[in-house]
Amino acid sequence: MKKEITRIDVGSAALVSGAVMALLSLVFILFFFLIFSMPFANMPLGGYEKGIMFGGGAFMLIFVPIIYGVFGIISGALSAVVYNFIAGRIGGVKVYVRD
């Protein structure tokens, strides 16, 4: 059976896109935080250097997913608006489904 996607809800597309981007960025930033902090694990750093290195990394663990989530919401909403505009003029994506 052939169906056509003629419209995408802007709000739901924005929320899903933002959530996916935030989750993926959290996974990647955790990976990079662990990898890049390994060389410094055995170095005799003072309190100031440890605070900058590990405090900055902890700040990035919080900051990056929020920023990526916000940009994901914006890009998801814009993508849905553009899709709705184009699909209204030339037709939407055709999807084949089986019952």
Side-chain angles (χ1 to χ4, degrees):
M1 175 186 335
K2 182 168 69 170
K3 301 231 180 205
E4 183 177 354
I5 301 173
T6 57
R7 264 185 90 62
I8 296 176
D9 182 51
V10 175
S12 66
L15 287 177
V16 168
S17 177
V20 168
M21 293 288 288
L23 183 65
L24 286 177
S25 70
L26 181 63
V27 169
F28 285 119
I29 200 72
L30 279 171
F31 174 73
F32 285 117
F33 178 70
L34 291 174
I35 294 298
F36 288 124
S37 65
M38 279 184 198
F40 301 105
N42 293 327
M43 290 183 68
L45 300 174
Y48 178 73
E49 290 88 0
K50 282 185 183 177
I52 287 178
M53 183 175 61
F54 295 111
F59 175 72
M60 292 304 286
L61 283 173
I62 297 167
F63 183 69
V64 169
I66 291 172
I67 294 300
Y68 269 71
V70 168
F71 283 116
I73 288 171
I74 293 168
S75 67
L78 285 174
S79 298
V81 167
V82 170
Y83 179 85
N84 290 340
F85 177 76
I86 292 173
R89 283 162 182 63
I90 63 172
V93 173
K94 290 171 181 52
V95 180
Y96 294 90
V97 295
R98 189 181 321 171
D99 288 332

